[in-house]
Amino acid sequence: MSQQQVDEETPLLQPVQQKKARTSLPWRQFSIILFLQLAEPLTSQVIAPFAPQLIRDIGITDGDETRVGYYVGLMHSLFFATQALTVLHWSRISDHIGRKPVILTGLFGLSISMYCFGLSRTFSGLVLSRALNGASNGNIGVIKSMMVEITDSTNLAQAYAYMPIAWSSGGAIGPLIGGSLSRPADRFPNFFGHSQFMKTYPYFLACAVPATFSILAWVVTFLFLQETVPTRVTLWRLLKGESRDEHSTPVKGPVTPTESTDSLSTEDTPQRANADGSKPLPLRSLLIPRVIIAAGNYAALSLLDIAFRAVQPVFFATPLELGGLGLDPPRIGNILAIYGVINGLFQVFFFANLHDRFGSKMIYSASMAAAIPMIITLPILNAVARVQGLSLMVWAIVGLQLALSVILNLAYACVFIYIAAASPNQASLGATNGIAQLGVSLVRAIGPASATSMFSLSIKNPHHAWIVYYYLIALVCMGICVSLLLPRQLWKNHH
């Protein structure tokens, strides 16, 4: 497909002519990619419901409730700090050796680190486990690169609309697992009451479920995922003992009687571009304005989102008199799970059509603006609950907060589309995603610890009760300012 005149939105990601129909997605490989993405939100979100109680149990706060939020945020931030040190390295490697080996390495690291986290009984053990998790986790940017490589300009927006299925499913199932399976000896005494192991390691069962899922994802990747970097497909299959002659031509997705092969060989796709001679560019050549703008917006959005996600469960768990809502881990897990389900369904059924109608820029701007009322619901919840208890009004406000969170999350698919369009050439797509993910990892290393520290300061000193909300709103304002740099029409992709 030639890159002709740009339609209102993009040459890369929408049909060049309105009459051109969307190409069918290569569902077999696409569904595998969605399945693999479950591993990361499962491992990251499973600890959210029980993290405050875990910090209390290991005794590092010496009973000081105001310090719980600080250590919870620090634990989250360490993951992203170590990820920031390695994510660009993994993404650039994937441009040269292929996506598949990097994904396998990341899944292995996720599994080992979660088993270790469940067996940790000291804060230093928790820190080391989370650091291992982050350092071995380069899959986010690599999987986004694969998403572009198995699609074309007509169906990439549709593909990105499905991405929240994995993240939202993991974001829903993870908290349910964490809330339901933590401290099983207390919650299920008939089954685990006599198990000394479960009493000694009360959070192991909750951590073992996503760890085991990561092993299953590793097996699925090894057996069924097809490589999308053409210069390495044959090498990878030869390592598995397959014949060079049988697999000499790289494909971008499964070719079945029910799927059109047009989507696998479109002229503007990364695979074809690579085959025509496009080579990965050096890092310095990737630091151009459009890459920096796209990566900067991704970082600003992620900083706001991770800061709010870190404060939200701590707010729910903090006693009412200290400024929170006083909920237990199972109830917190249920709230986060409901949000995950609603978010996934909304994005799947509405994002592609909204994107076709309004475009990336308008949706992104509206999503960022929705974050301000989302943040203001936190102090309103505490104020209402102090007067009415956990009344119907409180749950209605929680529902409003979740709805606004869903709107905020529409911004992710938009910024992913901007990043894909910003890559100078298709062979550098992995490195471009790596640069964007590096920035995100850096701000996510700052976000949880800074936000939960602000929350701890808020509940420690009544005169500073709103400081955490001022901080979160300032992050929104920064994100809105950065979004002004995004163009209404996406950048053209050069081969």
Side-chain angles (χ1 to χ4, degrees):
M1 165 178 163
S2 64
Q3 293 182 341
Q4 303 168 8
Q5 174 173 347
V6 182
D7 131 309
E8 179 183 351
E9 183 58 26
T10 169
L12 224 182
L13 309 164
Q14 284 189 327
V16 178
Q17 299 174 352
Q18 291 295 329
K19 63 182 181 180
K20 183 172 175 62
R22 284 180 190 158
T23 305
S24 175
L25 289 171
W27 279 106
R28 183 181 177 188
Q29 289 299 295
F30 185 64
S31 59
I32 291 174
I33 289 176
L34 293 178
F35 176 76
L36 297 182
Q37 282 188 296
L38 268 174
E40 293 183 51
L42 272 179
T43 54
S44 63
Q45 294 300 313
V46 72
I47 72 170
F50 64 75
Q53 187 60 46
L54 172 59
I55 293 297
R56 297 183 189 112
D57 289 350
I58 62 176
I60 195 169
T61 63
D62 296 323
D64 185 354
E65 187 67 28
T66 63
R67 297 170 61 194
V68 171
Y70 167 76
Y71 283 104
V72 170
L74 183 61
M75 195 164 58
H76 284 296
S77 292
L78 281 165
F79 168 85
F80 295 108
T82 51
Q83 185 186 63
L85 296 175
T86 59
V87 66
L88 180 57
H89 170 74
W90 288 121
S91 294
R92 294 191 71 192
I93 283 180
S94 75
D95 281 336
H96 294 276
I97 70 169
R99 315 295 185 206
K100 193 167 178 176
V102 174
I103 291 174
L104 289 171
T105 303
L107 290 171
F108 179 77
L110 282 175
S111 180
I112 296 298
S113 64
M114 285 308 298
Y115 282 126
C116 292
F117 191 89
L119 293 172
S120 299
R121 299 181 63 189
T122 64
F123 188 70
S124 59
L126 299 177
V127 166
L128 290 174
S129 300
R130 292 298 282 176
L132 172 62
N133 196 324
S136 61
N137 190 349
N139 287 357
I140 301 174
V142 175
I143 287 178
K144 287 173 192 167
S145 299
M146 291 193 80
M147 190 78 77
V148 178
E149 288 164 342
I150 66 169
T151 57
D152 62 27
S153 64
T154 67
N155 59 11
L156 183 55
Q158 181 189 11
Y160 276 136
Y162 280 92
M163 283 185 70
I165 287 183
W167 285 97
S168 298
S169 298
I173 299 170
L176 278 179
I177 294 170
S180 302
L181 299 184
S182 59
R183 306 182 68 86
D186 297 333
R187 291 182 52 78
F188 308 105
N190 292 335
F191 292 98
F192 301 106
H194 302 292
S195 173
Q196 188 60 41
F197 180 85
M198 289 300 175
K199 293 179 181 179
T200 305
Y201 304 102
Y203 303 101
F204 176 79
L205 184 61
C207 295
V209 173
T212 305
F213 178 85
S214 295
I215 294 176
L216 175 62
W218 192 99
V219 173
V220 170
T221 300
F222 185 79
L223 295 179
F224 303 112
L225 185 67
Q226 295 182 4
E227 182 59 78
T228 58
V229 176
T231 57
R232 300 296 175 186
V233 176
T234 302
L235 171 61
W236 179 248
R237 284 169 170 160
L238 284 174
L239 290 174
K240 290 176 61 180
E242 297 179 1
S243 167
R244 175 185 298 270
D245 294 333
E246 291 176 6
H247 303 290
S248 59
T249 303
V251 295
K252 295 175 53 183
V255 181
T256 69
T258 60
E259 291 178 352
S260 167
T261 58
D262 291 344
S263 64
L264 310 183
S265 60
T266 308
E267 191 171 303
D268 66 345
T269 59
Q271 289 283 43
R272 184 67 174 266
N274 292 355
D276 289 345
S278 175
K279 295 181 180 180
L281 297 174
L283 182 60
R284 186 174 300 177
S285 299
L286 297 177
L287 299 178
I288 56 178
R290 68 189 199 182
V291 172
I292 294 172
I293 290 171
N297 275 275
Y298 186 23
L301 170 63
S302 298
L303 176 57
L304 165 63
D305 187 51
I306 197 70
F308 180 79
R309 304 292 164 221
V311 167
Q312 188 183 35
V314 178
F315 169 85
F316 286 149
T318 299
L320 192 63
E321 61 273 13
L322 291 179
L325 215 53
L327 304 180
D328 57 10
R331 192 169 286 181
I332 296 171
N334 290 338
I335 292 173
L336 298 179
I338 290 170
Y339 159 72
V341 171
I342 295 173
N343 183 45
L345 293 175
F346 186 85
Q347 302 252 3
V348 167
F349 288 110
F350 296 104
F351 175 76
N353 291 331
L354 288 172
H355 183 269
D356 288 345
R357 180 167 183 176
F358 298 107
S360 298
K361 178 65 181 286
M362 187 175 294
I363 295 176
Y364 186 86
S365 299
S367 299
M368 292 297 293
I372 293 179
M374 178 188 74
I375 291 164
I376 294 174
T377 58
L378 291 173
I380 292 175
L381 274 171
N382 178 254
V384 173
R386 283 174 181 263
V387 176
Q388 302 182 8
L390 297 178
S391 64
L392 183 62
M393 177 63 73
V394 168
W395 295 116
I397 298 171
V398 170
L400 174 63
Q401 182 185 100
L402 299 185
L404 292 167
S405 298
V406 170
I407 296 175
L408 174 63
N409 266 263
L410 290 173
Y412 275 108
C414 296
V415 83
F416 295 157
I417 290 171
Y418 273 110
I419 291 169
S423 180
N425 67 21
Q426 300 289 12
S428 299
L429 187 60
T432 302
N433 273 305
I435 291 172
Q437 201 63 48
L438 171 60
V440 167
S441 297
L442 288 172
V443 299
R444 283 178 172 171
I446 300 168
S450 62
T452 53
S453 295
M454 290 290 184
F455 185 80
S456 293
L457 180 61
S458 296
I459 65 175
K460 185 177 293 187
N461 189 336
H463 297 293
H464 299 147
W466 273 63
I467 192 169
V468 64
Y469 307 123
Y470 294 145
Y471 173 71
L472 291 174
I473 290 173
L475 296 183
V476 179
C477 294
M478 181 182 71
I480 292 174
C481 290
V482 176
S483 72
L484 299 176
L485 299 173
L486 290 171
R488 294 194 65 84
Q489 297 178 348
L490 297 189
W491 304 283
K492 287 187 177 182
N493 185 270
H494 302 295
H495 298 302

